[in-house]
């Protein structure tokens, strides 16, 4: 598996960058994990849009789905130009479907997923979903392929019930929206130290802090996490590639 960071920012993108978005390559699958603001432009530095097979939307906050509409226009155009053979499979929580704000268009197909469900992709790639503690209905995803495990928490408060879903991950991508001395739960998010506490309790091998804040010195997030968690810690940045 390979994981490329497309969007490391929470809320809104830094100039020329993007909010939540990660490109997962696993076997023949090319899966976009979240499709935030700026993701579509940044993504094309690394992959042609017709190559995308799936897009997973964790929840319907704009910093995770703002570019979904334009991604579907691309699917429509690529389908008409015979550059895309199969519809893009859009995986989103079935609890969303009734009030999802972007209607799904030809060239893409919606597949509701629930926390009870396991989705198998090509080449034995397994996706399982779990509910996080956030203001909107939000799903995290655990990806298992070729004996490796990657987990993406999307947005969440600190919640120890997440630990079994993160357990033993080779790479955990988690949000670190605030610095350690902040009451992040009030905003539905976690601090660097809370993210690290979960990683430590779950025996995670590598921790990527993402969904980063637009204030303060973000290197401080890493130092705060290192005080709690002894494994490798990286701060997500545009284009960063993690191989599992
Ligand atoms: Zn967010
Ligand atoms: Zn959110």
């Amino acid at each position: 598996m390979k994981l490329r960071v497309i969007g490391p920012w929470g809320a809104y993108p830094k100039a020329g960058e993007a909010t939540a978005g990660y490109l997962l390559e696993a076997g023949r699958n090319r899966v976009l994990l979240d499709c935030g603001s700026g993701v579509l432009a940044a993504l094309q530095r690394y992959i042609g849009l017709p190559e995308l097979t799936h897009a997973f939307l964790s929840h319907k906050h704009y910093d995770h789905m703002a570019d979904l509409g334009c991604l579907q226009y691309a699917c429509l155009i690529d389908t008409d130009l015979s550059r895309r053979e199969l519809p893009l499979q859009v995986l989103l929580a079935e609890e969303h479907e009734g009030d999802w704000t972007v209607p799904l268009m030809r060239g893409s197909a919606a597949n509701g997923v629930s926390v009870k469900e396991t989705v198998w992709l090509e080449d034995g790639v397994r996706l399982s979903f779990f509910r996080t503690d956030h203001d909107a209905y939000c799903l995290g995803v655990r990806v298992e392929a070729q004996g490796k495990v990657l987990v993406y928490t999307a947005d969440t408060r600190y919640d120890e019930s997440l630990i079994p879903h993160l357990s033993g991950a080779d790479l955990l991508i988690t949000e670190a929206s605030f610095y350690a001395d902040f009451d992040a739960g009030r905003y539905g998010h976690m601090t660097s130290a809370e993210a690290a506490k979960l990683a430590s309790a779950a025996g995670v091998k590598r921790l990527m802090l993402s969904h980063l804040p637009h204030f303060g010195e973000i290197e401080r997030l890493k130092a705060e996490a290192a005080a709690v968690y002894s494994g490798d810690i990286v701060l997500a940045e545009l284009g960063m590639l993690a191989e599992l």
Side-chain angles (χ1 to χ4, degrees):
M1 274 195 282
K2 289 183 186 172
L3 190 284
R4 174 88 67 180
V5 178
I6 306 296
W9 301 104
Y12 64 93
K14 274 218 162 152
E17 297 203 28
T19 63
Y22 308 86
L23 174 61
L24 171 69
E25 293 185 29
R28 281 168 287 175
N29 311 287
R30 300 290 179 271
V31 185
L32 182 63
L33 303 176
D34 274 336
C35 190
S37 175
V39 164
L40 210 50
L43 182 63
Q44 291 172 84
R45 301 182 192 196
Y46 307 104
I47 190 173
L49 297 179
E51 294 172 61
L52 266 191
T53 58
H54 298 77
F56 164 68
L57 283 303
S58 64
H59 66 302
K60 62 178 185 181
H61 282 159
Y62 292 115
D63 55 336
H64 297 255
M65 49 72 84
D67 276 6
L68 177 63
C70 290
L71 174 58
Q72 292 184 92
Y73 287 141
C75 290
L76 197 60
I77 291 165
D78 286 334
T79 301
D80 285 349
L81 294 176
S82 301
R83 294 190 297 217
R84 169 176 284 281
E85 288 174 19
L86 297 172
L88 176 75
Q89 301 292 318
V90 180
L91 304 171
L92 47 90
E94 58 185 10
E95 287 76 2
H96 282 160
E97 281 190 302
D99 61 350
W100 194 249
T101 51
V102 181
L104 289 158
M105 303 162 202
R106 189 163 56 82
S108 57
N111 289 300
V113 291
S114 78
V115 288
K116 296 178 204 80
E117 196 168 358
T118 295
V119 172
W120 289 93
L121 308 183
E122 300 250 34
D123 300 320
V125 178
R126 180 183 197 256
L127 307 183
S128 43
F129 306 94
F130 54 91
R131 177 90 192 264
T132 75
D133 182 5
H134 192 48
D135 294 341
Y137 189 97
C138 183
L139 295 183
V141 60
R142 179 180 176 99
V143 184
E144 293 169 78
Q146 297 139 358
K148 299 287 182 181
V149 178
L150 177 148
V151 181
Y152 171 50
T153 65
D155 287 1
T156 187
R157 290 184 181 84
Y158 177 77
D159 178 359
E160 291 181 355
S161 74
L162 294 175
I163 292 168
H165 303 290
L166 317 183
S167 174
D170 295 281
L171 175 65
L172 172 64
I173 306 166
T174 188
E175 69 142 281
S177 299
F178 294 104
Y179 298 93
D181 52 3
F182 205 84
D183 179 11
R186 216 173 93 208
Y187 296 93
H189 290 291
M190 284 196 294
T191 68
S192 53
E194 288 170 330
K197 201 171 161 191
L198 286 182
S200 186
V204 163
K205 297 186 183 75
R206 199 169 9 148
L207 173 62
M208 180 184 287
L209 301 175
S210 194
H211 201 273
L212 303 171
H214 291 273
F215 60 93
E217 184 54 58
I218 59 170
E219 282 294 330
R220 198 178 120 202
L221 298 169
K222 192 173 166 182
E224 290 167 345
V228 180
Y229 167 77
S230 57
D232 283 347
I233 303 170
V234 292
L235 279 177
E237 62 179 75
L238 173 61
M240 177 180 276
L241 181 65
E243 301 200 41
L244 286 82

